[in-house]
Amino acid sequence: MSAETVESKQQEEMAGEGESDPSATTVGNGHVSNDDSNKAKKNFDEDGARRRINHQRIRDKAQRLKADLIENMSSQLEDLLDGFVSAVEQIEVGDEPGSDHAAAKNHVQESDSRERRKKGDLPDKVFVTRRSVLTELFEISHIQTIYHIFVAILIVFSLNTIVYDVLEKGTFSLNFGMIQWAFGKFPKVMVMWVVMQLSTLLIVYPAFYYWATQRRPGNAGLFDFVWIGLVVVYQLAFLFIPLWYLIEHDLPPASSVIITTEQTRLIMKTHAFIRENTAKVMYKKKDDDRDKDDGSSNGCPDFSKYLYFLFSPTLVYRDNYPRTQTICWRYVVTNFTQVLACLFYTYYIFERFCVPVFQNFNSEHITPKAFLLSVFGCMMPATLVLFIGFFAILHSWLNAFAEMLRFGDRLFYKDWWNSTTFSNYYRTWNVVVHDWLYTYIYKDICKLIGAGNRAGAMACVFLISAVFHEYILTVTFKFFYPVLFIMFAGAGFGFIFLTDKGSNRSWNVFMWVALFIGNGMLMCLYSMEFYARQNCPVSTENFLDYIIPRSWFCDLPASPAS
């Protein structure tokens, strides 16, 4: 046998051995064991898993970045479109661009706002001429039909009351006893309202004017700290004196609402005026005449601007606002008529759906079965009251005053009913209050704690808003029952993160379900406590009686089954 044949057989035997062990890998002149191969495969799988995790993190971050960019671009695009619509409306009424001083001021404000966004600062509120959302929607025949349906329901409620009085009582008398009781002692309400208005006119502006004209230009000094102290004292007095007046004269619920809401509105107006103009005075140099264009030379605006701000439908102070050219008094009368109609609408809802259920409060109302039935029974009436209150105050009342004062920016609310997130709902439900909270609370807190901690600033805004909402209800009902505070500052704040960035339309269903349930619980719990304090005996004569829920500890026996 030749040497070539022997060598060929040896190579075939070596190749056969290699094929018999497929898990072995030839390296050099030897083999890699099965353990080494499994370890290499495990390492490869771990590397692949890490890569997949990193890829998922990158995708999640890209999705968050996309949502943030869309939200910011949407806000900026909305500002640009509002400015464009305002310019078109000014052209339609015959104004040349730049001919109106207020329009020029608004253009400067928009430019300043864009510059601030470029620097990373939070944007300022920009006022432009625009109509309310419902004013535009009512031009659509389908939306007009929905409005007509609500009017028809009001007519049916009225006819129902008339027919009931005629057939059951044999008399025709429109007895609105609940309205008369709720708005009782109205002359005392007007006295307190006049006192509050005069205090803002005769104390706030003269005091600010004196401080602005007497202080020396430069850094803050003793005179400035004394001024700040006096402002705090005035605001505290403005908070406690009307409260004492309400308790002393025992005003009924609706009268108390008028005083407390006006008190809160004037406190917010006063803070806005002082907050905006203090910076102008503090940073004004000795020979600075930049304010002469506004009619003031000391950093203090004219009294006419302050007076207009007190009655204008906004809580954010500006020296000038966009104004309309004419006043349509028919539109004013129509809006005030709608407010009056909404008042009777609310009366019928309480008279038919709330009072009969809770006026004979007894121990049966606090059983789990009765409580659940009451909550679900209150959901529809309470949500109707929500709609009516929104339409009466945020649309009709504010539009009436805006028309009388020729106030151009009438975006008092947005399309909150289309919201898929609770954060968007809170921003669009009441734009007037939201603008004040954003301008004077949220932005200032962000400056103090840093723009990166916006969740903390948002929590402070919710806390302040919940405190004032609960304050109004506590003074109105004359007892402390913080249901709204817990639901607003607790569940309401948590829902912001639960539905954050939700773009699916099904989240709109969730929002409406939450509103129905929340409104039903509010109406049920506050009605139970209100009538419990009328039917249950007083357990204590001291201050604790105002803060201990009487509906929880009512000892009345259950009413006999009917």
Side-chain angles (χ1 to χ4, degrees), residues 136-237:
E136 296 179 344
L137 289 178
F138 284 153
E139 296 178 354
I140 304 173
S141 59
H142 303 289
I143 306 300
Q144 282 183 346
T145 302
I146 298 176
Y147 174 81
H148 295 158
I149 291 173
F150 276 89
V151 174
I153 294 174
L154 177 60
I155 295 174
V156 170
F157 271 138
S158 301
L159 291 176
N160 182 24
T161 302
I162 294 173
V163 170
Y164 178 82
D165 289 340
V166 172
L167 296 181
E168 292 293 330
K169 301 179 182 178
T171 59
F172 177 70
S173 61
L174 296 177
N175 182 17
F176 300 105
M178 179 183 292
I179 296 179
Q180 295 175 357
W181 165 76
F183 288 92
K185 302 180 181 180
F186 197 72
K188 296 184 182 298
V189 174
M190 294 306 300
V191 169
M192 192 66 234
W193 182 82
V194 170
V195 170
M196 291 191 298
Q197 292 288 342
L198 290 178
S199 70
T200 57
L201 291 172
L202 304 179
I203 296 178
V204 175
Y205 184 84
F208 183 85
Y209 182 82
Y210 178 80
W211 170 76
T213 55
Q214 296 300 318
R215 77 175 303 274
R216 297 178 179 178
N219 296 328
L222 179 61
F223 188 57
D224 300 320
F225 290 110
V226 171
W227 158 250
I228 294 175
L230 292 176
V231 170
V232 174
V233 171
Y234 171 81
Q235 294 283 47
L236 291 176

Side-chain angles (χ1 to χ4, degrees), residues 250-480:
D250 192 23
L251 297 182
S255 299
S256 300
V257 168
I258 294 174
I259 295 297
T260 51
T261 51
E262 276 294 285
Q263 176 193 36
T264 305
R265 183 183 72 90
L266 292 174
I267 288 176
M268 297 166 76
K269 292 261 190 181
T270 302
H271 177 81
F273 174 77
I274 295 175
R275 172 67 178 80
E276 290 286 350
N277 291 284
T278 296
K280 298 179 183 178
V281 176
M282 294 289 292
Y283 297 116
K284 184 180 183 302
K285 297 180 181 179
K286 185 175 181 180
D287 54 350
D288 192 355
D289 294 331
R290 61 186 174 184
D291 292 324
K292 288 184 178 180
D293 292 338
D294 294 332
S296 60
S297 58
N298 298 294
C300 181
D302 293 339
F303 180 75
S304 60
K305 302 182 187 302
Y306 175 70
L307 181 63
Y308 181 84
F309 171 64
L310 284 183
F311 293 95
S312 61
T314 181
L315 297 172
V316 178
Y317 178 81
R318 295 289 186 269
D319 288 331
N320 294 287
Y321 299 96
R323 306 283 290 274
T324 58
Q325 297 297 313
T326 58
I327 301 175
C328 180
W329 290 105
R330 180 181 178 183
Y331 184 70
V332 174
V333 173
T334 300
N335 278 289
F336 280 130
T337 303
Q338 290 175 161
V339 173
L340 185 63
C342 288
L343 174 63
F344 285 102
Y345 223 133
T346 305
Y347 159 73
Y348 286 128
I349 291 174
F350 276 95
E351 184 72 20
R352 298 299 180 187
F353 300 104
C354 181
V355 175
V357 176
F358 299 103
Q359 65 179 351
N360 297 320
F361 178 86
N362 55 70
S363 58
E364 287 184 351
H365 285 82
I366 56 178
T367 61
K369 176 182 176 181
F371 176 74
L372 285 177
L373 291 176
S374 299
V375 169
F376 280 90
C378 288
M379 286 183 185
M380 287 300 297
T383 306
L384 275 176
V385 172
L386 177 72
F387 290 154
I388 294 168
F390 156 75
F391 183 78
I393 299 173
L394 293 177
H395 179 76
S396 299
W397 185 266
L398 294 182
N399 269 290
F401 274 88
E403 186 68 23
M404 289 189 295
L405 297 173
R406 296 193 298 114
F407 188 83
D409 194 341
R410 302 180 184 182
L411 194 68
F412 309 124
Y413 55 90
K414 297 181 182 179
D415 57 335
W416 57 269
W417 47 86
N418 289 325
S419 299
T420 57
T421 66
F422 268 84
S423 58
N424 184 69
Y425 166 72
Y426 291 129
R427 286 195 301 267
T428 56
W429 157 258
N430 188 344
V431 173
V432 179
V433 174
H434 171 266
D435 287 341
W436 188 89
L437 291 171
Y438 168 79
T439 304
Y440 303 116
I441 304 297
Y442 182 80
K443 289 178 63 177
D444 288 349
I445 293 178
C446 283
K447 291 179 181 178
L448 292 175
I449 64 178
N453 192 10
R454 296 192 176 184
M458 189 187 305
C460 293
V461 168
F462 264 82
L463 179 62
I464 294 173
S465 180
V467 166
F468 273 93
H469 278 81
E470 191 60 45
Y471 164 75
I472 293 174
L473 289 181
T474 300
V475 175
T476 298
F477 295 124
K478 307 299 188 299
F479 59 79
F480 179 69

Side-chain angles (χ1 to χ4, degrees), residues 46-118:
E46 290 179 353
D47 291 340
R50 280 195 294 269
R51 284 195 296 270
R52 288 192 295 271
I53 292 173
N54 291 332
H55 290 163
Q56 185 62 40
R57 289 176 178 175
I58 294 173
R59 282 194 295 268
D60 293 341
K61 190 171 183 179
Q63 290 292 337
R64 290 194 296 269
L65 181 60
K66 175 184 175 182
D68 291 339
L69 287 174
I70 292 175
E71 183 177 1
N72 292 332
M73 291 175 63
S74 176
S75 176
Q76 296 180 22
L77 182 60
E78 183 179 358
D79 292 341
L80 292 174
L81 290 176
D82 288 338
F84 173 74
V85 172
S86 177
V88 171
E89 290 178 351
Q90 290 173 4
I91 293 173
E92 287 178 351
V93 297
D95 286 344
E96 293 295 332
S99 61
D100 186 73
H101 181 67
K105 293 285 289 184
N106 290 333
H107 177 72
V108 172
Q109 290 177 0
E110 293 175 8
S111 300
D112 292 342
S113 179
R114 287 191 289 269
E115 290 297 328
R116 290 173 63 87
R117 282 198 293 265
K118 290 179 181 179

